[in-house]
Amino acid sequence: MMTSFSHLISDIAVLTRRNLIKYFRLPQLLIFNATLNVVLLLLFNYVFGGAIKTGGVSYIQYFLPGFLAQIVVFGSTQTSVGIAEDLTKGFVDRFRSLPMARPAFLTGRVLSDAVRYVFLLILLVIVGLVMGFRFDNGFLSIIAGLALIVLFGVALTWVGVFIGISVKDVETAQVAGFVWVFPLVFASSLYVPIATMPGWLQAFAKINPVTSMADVTRVLLLGGSVASSLWKILAWDFGLIALFMSLAFRRYNRMA
Amino acid sequence: MNPEDIREKCKEDSVRIEGISKRFGKVQALDGINLVVEPNSVFALLGPNGSGKTTLVRILTTLLKADSGTAQVGGFDVVGMAQKVRSVIGLAGQYPAVDDTLTGRENLEIIGQLYHLGGKKSRARASELLEQFDLVDAASTRAKFYSGGMRRRLDLAATLIAKPLILFLDEPTTGLDPRSRLALWEVIASQAKDCNTVFLTTQYLEEADRLAHKIAIIDEGKIIREGTPGELKKCCGGESRISLTLYDRVNTQAAADALNSLAPGKILSSSETGTVSLPADGGSGLLSEVVRRMDSAGIVLADLSLKQPTLDDVFLAITGHTAEVSPAAGSKIAGEVR
Ligand SMILES: Nc1ncnc2c1ncn2[C@@H]1O[C@H](COP(=O)(O)OP(=O)(O)O)[C@@H](O)[C@H]1O
Ligand SMILES: [Mg+2]
């Protein structure tokens, strides 16, 4: 029992490390990820920043917390691609024929993606600070806010994992990984206050987890009352993890 | 596994398959397979594209569940004791699972760690194997820059890292140039010792002939013939033949008659194509004797050649149809069967 637990931990560590080596060695992935986010941040701030009314605060103060949340939403689309790649290139077959712990392959993928999110968050916070963003809350709240973003990323990554092992080829994974995140990102309080949307869209935006995530991050980074959005986002996180983790494992274990 | 256990394992069959069947939708990929593979041997599953080789390997390596039947690998049931099976096998799939972004050494070490050898032992084994497979110079190069032969060798090295008892190789040399193929054959042949077993699949009769102690021929999910390479040669057109193409095909019968005493009852001739052939097991003297007899009969030859038997010849002899023609599965690719 003890050895199987330590095997699980070491197998997850080995695969997490493998994915991270691959990620940091492929410059196009890294550059795509990092630059795209930085460019988006600059564009939104300077193009829309002047036009969107955010109730007194500067646009970067309104926008950056939500933008940090968005990083993990788009980041999770790469999870599907990574899994599909391992499937089509025969790694999944090889791994499944090894005496390694069964949950290690998928869990290693999620953990390495979590590390990737931490890296991107740090990068984007630095760029934000240069652009004039200022934290306005206690240190612990700020850390809690960033940690919640990573947790949200983990939840969405399990969705990405499930999509990745369900579609089985890289091109489909690329598309399937993206289609579901666009409405989530744009029909939320992330770029604009919900009050500016038509009624039916407001209804969607209010239950959208990205809205809760953006709201919570804003409060934790800038101060204010957090309670209701916090419960909502935690419920989303653990709900998504429970559902998609079990779906993904079921499919992985039964895969033909 | 400690040495005691391994010796214990040598008493058992390496692979024992009883009534395994598997269907994918309309395709009956495997149809009641029964096979036994003994330790210390190389076993070849020989069959054309789409005959069910990969499906059987996937079932034996716990990647796929059969619809019916049972299989034991290393004495362990592939379903009930799958994790035990995984600890005694190594699998090199039909396409090398080599990570392009990682170096050769990293590729090996990761697999070693996932076999739970530990960091130190994984590094040591990786070094040994890089040496053995002539990859030392490329050890720190990303696999992306490896040639096809190097990838195959690295893939095979990865499957050997934990010294598996039973090695499964799915078409290990398909797509390789002749030199790389020869090098790989040497390595494969050297694995079947100390109670270790190699279970390989192939489309090449020559490969099975060269490597295997026992061959089973599979066609449309059924084992159609089993035996040693020698037995298959005798029964099923697996010997090389001297083949004559006549300048004028009206002479076909005359040529066959002239040669008949060299291989009574074993002359094949076709007056449609003007070809005559006979088994080439009479040494080099046979060839000059054939030429002499054609000369004295006044028959002019357009071509004279020594033909290595192919899987097609054996199929033709056993089933009456060649390997690529298969009414059951329309998607088979004839071009890949040589
Ligand atoms: N996952 C699958 N889904 C549907 N059909 C499959 C699947 N795997 C194999 N087949 C079919 O089963 C048959 C045997 O395939 P396979 O075992 O790959 O043959 P081989 O390895 O001898 O070329 C083929 O007709 C193939 O198309
Ligand atoms: Mg195959």
Side-chain angles (χ1 to χ4, degrees):
Chain A
M1 197 58 227
M2 214 44 226
T3 59
S4 67
F5 184 70
S6 68
H7 281 167
L8 174 66
I9 300 301
S10 76
D11 292 346
I12 291 175
V14 169
L15 287 165
T16 304
R17 202 174 141 260
R18 163 202 185 246
N19 294 339
L20 286 173
I21 294 176
K22 282 165 70 85
Y23 178 67
F24 283 101
R25 226 174 248 177
L26 275 184
Q28 61 271 37
L29 258 189
L30 194 64
I31 290 168
F32 177 77
N33 245 229
T35 338
L36 182 74
N37 280 307
V38 172
V39 167
L40 274 180
L41 184 60
L42 293 172
L43 273 180
F44 272 101
N45 187 51
Y46 296 116
V47 176
F48 297 131
I52 297 171
K53 301 215 166 27
T54 46
V57 294
S58 74
Y59 189 64
I60 186 85
Q61 288 297 94
Y62 174 86
F63 173 59
L64 188 81
F67 191 82
L68 295 179
Q70 180 221 255
I71 291 172
V72 300
V73 183
F74 280 117
S76 68
T77 63
Q78 269 182 19
T79 306
S80 314
V81 176
I83 294 264
E85 218 169 71
D86 280 342
L87 264 172
T88 49
K89 291 192 175 161
F91 294 111
V92 171
D93 268 7
R94 161 144 292 167
F95 291 149
R96 287 175 77 238
S97 78
L98 297 178
M100 65 185 234
R102 269 287 147 125
F105 173 68
L106 299 183
T107 313
R109 164 63 56 185
V110 174
L111 272 189
S112 58
D113 283 344
V115 174
R116 190 159 59 89
Y117 303 149
V118 171
F119 163 78
L120 286 173
L121 283 179
I122 293 173
L123 178 76
L124 269 289
V125 164
I126 292 172
V127 175
L129 289 173
V130 171
M131 288 166 63
F133 175 79
R134 290 296 170 260
F135 287 112
D136 196 8
N137 209 344
F139 180 71
L140 284 181
S141 302
I142 294 167
I143 294 299
L146 296 177
L148 272 176
I149 294 179
V150 175
L151 178 65
F152 187 48
V154 166
L156 296 178
T157 298
W158 278 110
V159 182
V161 164
F162 178 67
I163 292 174
I165 60 171
S166 302
V167 299
K168 290 181 183 156
D169 79 274
V170 177
E171 288 73 24
T172 317
Q174 236 142 17
V175 177
F178 258 105
V179 286
W180 63 280
V181 300
F182 272 104
L184 284 183
V185 166
F186 288 98
S188 75
S189 67
L190 205 151
Y191 291 104
V192 294
I194 304 185
T196 61
M197 300 174 187
W200 59 271
L201 195 56
Q202 281 195 29
F204 174 81
K206 272 181 192 149
I207 53 163
N208 184 349
V210 177
T211 297
S212 317
M213 190 67 240
D215 291 348
V216 168
T217 316
R218 228 165 256 140
V219 169
L220 283 171
L221 268 44
L222 304 173
S225 159
V226 80
S228 81
S229 294
L230 179 65
W231 293 124
K232 247 197 238 167
I233 194 62
L234 285 176
W236 269 112
D237 286 348
F238 290 107
L240 287 175
I241 290 175
L243 178 62
F244 283 93
M245 200 170 162
S246 57
L247 284 176
F249 277 131
R250 248 170 71 133
R251 191 161 275 249
Y252 181 76
N253 288 331
R254 286 189 186 172
M255 211 153 32
Chain B
M1 279 210 138
N2 62 47
E4 229 95 288
D5 289 340
I6 291 175
R7 240 168 283 134
E8 199 55 32
K9 284 291 153 222
C10 210
K11 293 179 193 152
E12 300 192 37
D13 295 321
S14 294
V15 178
R16 172 172 281 278
I17 304 169
E18 281 161 18
I20 288 279
S21 293
K22 178 76 190 179
R23 170 181 280 277
F24 296 108
K26 281 189 197 138
V27 181
Q28 188 73 45
L30 295 174
D31 190 0
I33 302 277
N34 296 296
L35 280 177
V36 175
V37 179
E38 285 155 18
N40 275 319
S41 73
V42 176
F43 175 87
L45 185 65
L46 175 65
N49 230 343
S51 54
K53 302 182 297 296
T54 298
T55 304
L56 186 59
V57 167
R58 288 173 58 83
I59 288 172
L60 296 176
T61 52
T62 77
L63 299 179
L64 186 66
K65 281 197 178 70
D67 297 337
S68 58
T70 59
Q72 282 100 45
V73 170
F76 303 117
D77 185 87
V78 292
V79 178
M81 297 172 93
Q83 199 68 353
K84 285 272 190 213
V85 170
R86 293 180 194 123
S87 68
V88 298
I89 63 168
L91 165 67
Q94 188 165 349
Y95 306 98
V98 166
D99 213 320
D100 279 342
T101 21
L102 303 179
T103 67
R105 175 179 286 283
E106 286 167 341
N107 265 290
L108 295 182
E109 285 180 10
I110 284 176
I111 302 299
Q113 285 165 354
L114 293 175
Y115 269 111
H116 306 132
L117 298 184
K120 206 172 145 206
K121 185 123 184 269
S122 297
R123 278 193 293 280
R125 276 295 285 158
S127 298
E128 269 172 53
L129 288 161
L130 287 165
E131 184 97 18
Q132 189 189 339
F133 284 75
D134 198 19
L135 291 168
V136 175
D137 292 339
S140 313
T141 307
R142 288 187 209 175
K144 187 181 173 177
F145 302 107
Y146 281 24
S147 68
M150 290 164 82
R151 295 171 75 84
R152 286 281 186 178
R153 296 208 302 274
L154 184 64
D155 193 46
L156 188 54
T159 68
L160 291 173
I161 198 151
K163 303 190 172 167
L165 219 46
I166 301 154
L167 196 57
F168 288 91
L169 307 176
D170 195 4
E171 300 200 20
T173 69
T174 299
L176 283 190
D177 59 279
R179 217 178 115 236
S180 309
R181 171 170 300 161
L182 277 176
L184 215 55
W185 279 354
E186 274 174 34
V187 178
I188 294 170
S190 70
Q191 296 305 317
K193 54 164 201 271
D194 304 337
C195 299
N196 289 352
T197 306
V198 178
F199 185 114
L200 69 87
T201 77
T202 182
Q203 301 188 23
Y204 306 119
L205 183 65
E206 189 194 358
E207 180 161 283
D209 187 25
R210 282 281 291 266
L211 293 173
H213 302 98
K214 214 168 154 204
I215 300 172
I217 301 179
I218 185 170
D219 182 36
E220 292 173 16
K222 290 195 183 77
I223 302 295
I224 55 173
R225 198 60 63 105
E226 233 186 301
T228 63
E231 285 165 356
L232 287 180
K233 272 184 192 158
K234 274 196 210 107
C235 80
C236 316
E239 77 263 270
S240 43
R241 297 181 77 84
I242 295 173
S243 167
L244 300 79
T245 307
L246 309 184
Y247 189 76
D248 189 346
R249 59 195 168 101
V250 297
N251 293 329
T252 307
Q253 193 52 49
D257 290 343
L259 296 172
N260 190 45
S261 64
L262 290 175
K266 289 182 174 174
I267 309 281
L268 294 178
S269 62
S270 157
S271 52
E272 273 166 47
T273 53
T275 55
V276 180
S277 75
L278 67 160
D281 48 12
S284 58
L286 185 63
L287 201 58
S288 50
E289 179 62 16
V290 168
V291 176
R292 209 188 52 74
R293 290 193 182 196
M294 288 301 102
D295 264 354
S296 58
I299 297 170
V300 184
L301 297 179
D303 185 63
L304 174 66
S305 58
L306 192 63
K307 262 187 62 191
Q308 292 296 329
T310 64
L311 181 55
D312 273 345
D313 298 325
V314 176
F315 260 77
L316 194 59
I318 299 176
T319 64
H321 68 84
T322 50
E324 65 244 54
V325 187
S326 165
S331 62
K332 285 173 189 172
I333 305 154
E336 289 193 29
V337 180
R338 278 204 338 193

